[in-house]
Amino acid sequence: MVPYKQGRNYQTGQKLPSLRNLSASLSVSIPTVKQAYIELERQGLILAKPKSGYFLTHQCTSEQPRKARLPNKPMAVSRQQLIEDVFKSIHQPHNLALGVANPVAALPITKTLNRTMRRVMSVMGDKALHYGSVAGYEPLRRQLAFSYMEYALPLAPDDIIITNGAQEALNIALQCVAKAGDVIAVESPCYFGILELIENLGMLALEVPICPEDGLTTQDVEKAIGKHPVKVCVFSSTIANPMGCVLADDAKQQIVELLENNDIPLIEDDVYGDLYFTKKRGIPAQKYSKKGLVITCSSFSKTAAPAYRIGWIATHKFSQRCAQIKRSLSGSSSHMIQITLFEFVRSGDYERYLTQLRGVLVTNKARMINMLQQLLGESIRISDPKGGCVLWLELDKSINSADIFQLALQQNISVSPGTLFSPSNRYQHCIRLSYGLPWNDRVEEGLKVFADICRSVFPSQ
Ligand SMILES: Cc1ncc(COP(=O)(O)O)c(C=O)c1O
């Protein structure tokens, strides 16, 4: 084996010295070298190949997608048919699920959750299967309220309402503070579930563009509310889907102040908040609220199990009204699953799992960006998410991602076409890909097929 030499340059794809070799050359312990390699892998600089060792990854930085130019007028939404068509296709179990944002698939926690649920059933018996209270299992609400104490956010258990996922939380929050015909400001691009809600509730969407690096700007929000009668804003708390950008805490504070000065409620969607790749978790916008006009929506879907369908709303001012709407929509959420999640969090398993999951996702992200850069080079722009589980790709303007979507499906690969994420048919040339899956040969093969498909629709030079 070639001994490690200090100052030596390594080429892309080259094998790095073994742990033992490097530890001997540098006179440091093997665990120290291992730790350093793990950190480099986390940063996407090197790649571990099973039974082969560590390799230097390809390092080229592709450009970020551009901030969109938007019509800047409220509009009725009609995405439902498109969403339905895409959903039918992407949720086929045999497809490689690059179109589904399901981060926990990258590191399933099934065994632990099963064990916890069995324990709950044996201790609680029939009671676990009974109806629970409308607002949800009190110990879980207490625990969630307690978790907001970390940000000095004074929420009581009664300020938390358990829902069927974040989707129901957003639905209830919207119904609570707006009605049909009202203008709802959303980020652009925006998570399509929010657009579908706006459509169903007969409201109008106003797109506010987000910057790929920093998310929303106060100026853009100010412009939107200055020009149009915005009733409510629905924005990501910190980590946006599909762009993956992070809204800095000071920008968040300015936006909350601006909205509250104009008596505009903010519904913050915090489902990806715990899946951050930055040093610290972003602070919920509600922390900066002085008038109580911020309603926080989140869930365990991206951090434990989407099938459990457990989410929550956190609001003091609107809690009673939200509970009424919850009762009318679905009564209560599954009692047994709430108890299971409570035990999962209480045991410390949840926090340990989140740390591992973030590590896997950040590595997957680096792998996927590296592969796409190698396969498609400068012909695409790729987002650099600071959290979450999706990449946003921008292709040549002439390309229709609906064609790529169809061609990929024929090869049993699901992707999300860009038009899902805008009410105004923007982002036709964009695609969202998820790296929330267990990384294996099938993913790598699938990405190669995806790149071939993209190349086949690229305009000829
Ligand atoms: C940004 C965002 N908000 C809300 C949801 C809905 O989450 P849940 O599955 O908890 O209803 C999703 C799911 O994909 C999402 O990506």
Side-chain angles (χ1 to χ4, degrees):
M1 180 170 301
V2 189
Y4 167 75
K5 275 205 218 119
Q6 257 172 341
R8 180 174 165 190
N9 285 327
Y10 286 84
Q11 307 293 321
T12 295
Q14 195 176 350
K15 186 168 182 202
L16 297 170
S18 67
L19 299 181
R20 191 179 301 279
N21 192 331
L22 196 55
S23 122
S25 315
L26 297 176
S27 307
V28 293
S29 70
I30 289 181
T32 303
V33 178
K34 175 127 203 206
Q35 202 53 46
Y37 273 5
I38 288 172
E39 179 54 28
L40 289 172
E41 194 186 15
R42 201 186 69 77
Q43 294 176 19
L45 299 172
I46 66 172
L47 205 61
K49 293 195 182 163
K51 298 194 185 134
S52 306
Y54 289 89
F55 295 80
L56 192 66
T57 53
H58 182 75
Q59 295 301 317
C60 81
T61 45
S62 70
E63 287 187 79
Q64 294 267 306
R66 282 167 280 227
K67 184 177 170 186
R69 287 214 188 151
L70 296 165
N72 196 9
K73 60 173 197 285
M75 62 183 64
V77 182
S78 66
R79 292 291 84 168
Q80 211 150 30
Q81 191 57 53
L82 176 67
I83 295 171
E84 195 174 317
D85 293 347
V86 172
F87 260 52
K88 262 191 208 144
S89 334
I90 64 179
H91 284 288
Q92 300 294 337
H94 53 272
N95 280 347
L96 177 63
L98 300 178
V100 185
N102 180 18
V104 293
L107 185 69
I109 183 76
T110 324
K111 274 193 191 147
T112 311
L113 288 174
N114 280 350
R115 194 177 354 102
T116 313
M117 194 182 289
R118 278 199 302 273
R119 216 173 40 232
V120 166
M121 283 307 293
S122 73
V123 174
M124 302 282 292
D126 294 348
K127 283 201 183 115
L129 301 178
H130 291 174
Y131 284 120
S133 85
V134 171
Y137 184 54
E138 206 270 347
L140 180 62
R141 289 188 287 124
R142 196 167 352 110
Q143 199 157 46
L144 288 167
F146 182 73
S147 68
Y148 286 110
M149 298 258 288
E150 195 180 331
Y151 315 103
L153 229 175
L155 286 162
D158 284 350
D159 301 332
I160 309 280
I161 292 142
I162 303 293
T163 59
N164 293 328
Q167 191 67 21
E168 191 183 56
L170 291 164
N171 189 3
I172 293 171
L174 259 177
Q175 292 195 40
C176 181
V177 287
K179 58 181 186 327
D182 283 343
V183 175
I184 314 299
V186 296
E187 292 155 345
S188 183
C190 165
Y191 163 58
F192 51 78
I194 293 170
L195 297 178
E196 197 170 15
L197 278 177
I198 293 175
E199 179 172 352
N200 255 339
L201 297 171
M203 298 167 181
L204 303 173
L206 174 68
E207 292 178 274
V208 184
I210 53 175
C211 300
E213 288 89 6
D214 309 315
L216 285 170
T217 66
T218 317
Q219 290 80 358
D220 284 327
V221 178
E222 198 165 12
K223 214 174 353 169
I225 65 170
K227 257 187 152 179
H228 302 285
V230 172
K231 186 71 193 277
V232 180
C233 295
V234 184
F235 296 150
S236 311
S237 238
T238 300
I239 300 165
N241 170 13
M243 201 63 99
C245 50
V246 158
L247 183 63
D249 291 334
D250 51 354
K252 210 178 301 175
Q253 179 167 11
Q254 282 175 17
I255 291 173
V256 171
E257 279 169 10
L258 170 69
L259 295 179
E260 290 204 330
N261 285 341
N262 290 277
D263 289 323
I264 299 175
L266 167 65
I267 299 173
E268 63 166 333
D269 181 348
D270 198 19
V271 283
Y272 288 106
D274 284 329
L275 299 183
Y276 56 92
F277 306 153
T278 43
K279 279 209 173 75
K280 281 193 317 196
R281 190 200 194 284
I283 294 174
Q286 191 169 158
K287 153 87 183 156
Y288 303 111
S289 168
K290 296 203 169 74
K291 290 190 177 173
L293 293 180
V294 180
I295 305 178
T296 307
C297 298
S298 193
S299 76
F300 288 104
S301 302
K302 309 294 178 186
T303 53
Y308 278 4
R309 309 305 304 134
I310 296 295
W312 66 92
I313 299 175
T315 167
H316 177 68
K317 194 178 181 75
F318 302 106
S319 59
Q320 265 193 331
R321 179 69 192 128
C322 284
Q324 283 167 348
I325 301 173
K326 162 71 183 168
R327 189 168 53 242
S328 73
L329 285 179
S330 57
S332 55
S333 298
S334 163
H335 194 47
M336 177 184 65
I337 304 283
Q338 291 182 65
I339 307 171
T340 302
L341 281 170
F342 166 70
E343 293 297 338
F344 180 52
V345 177
R346 187 172 67 157
S347 66
D349 284 340
Y350 182 58
E351 271 305 317
R352 277 189 290 278
Y353 172 64
L354 282 179
T355 307
Q356 289 172 1
L357 181 60
R358 284 190 290 264
V360 171
L361 289 174
V362 85
T363 308
N364 280 5
K365 168 194 129 172
R367 285 172 160 155
M368 194 174 267
I369 291 180
N370 258 304
M371 269 200 81
L372 290 169
Q373 283 172 339
Q374 284 183 52
L375 292 165
L376 292 165
E378 289 171 3
S379 49
I380 54 167
R381 289 168 177 257
I382 311 176
S383 63
D384 181 15
K386 307 288 185 301
C389 70
V390 292
L391 295 182
W392 184 243
L393 314 186
E394 188 183 312
L395 309 168
D396 187 274
K397 275 247 181 297
S398 64
I399 290 173
N400 187 348
S401 60
D403 297 338
I404 297 180
F405 167 73
Q406 289 299 346
L407 290 166
L409 265 188
Q410 288 165 19
Q411 307 275 351
N412 293 336
I413 299 170
S414 79
V415 301
S416 296
T419 40
L420 278 181
F421 302 88
S422 156
S424 61
N425 266 337
R426 287 289 178 293
Y427 313 117
Q428 218 172 66
H429 60 305
C430 297
I431 288 186
R432 192 191 75 176
L433 290 189
S434 168
Y435 48 84
L437 19 70
W439 199 268
N440 53 32
D441 289 349
R442 179 151 189 238
V443 176
E444 296 201 354
E445 283 311 310
L447 284 174
K448 286 181 195 156
V449 174
F450 168 76
D452 285 344
I453 293 170
C454 289
R455 275 193 296 266
S456 75
V457 297
F458 279 171
S460 42
Q461 305 288 315

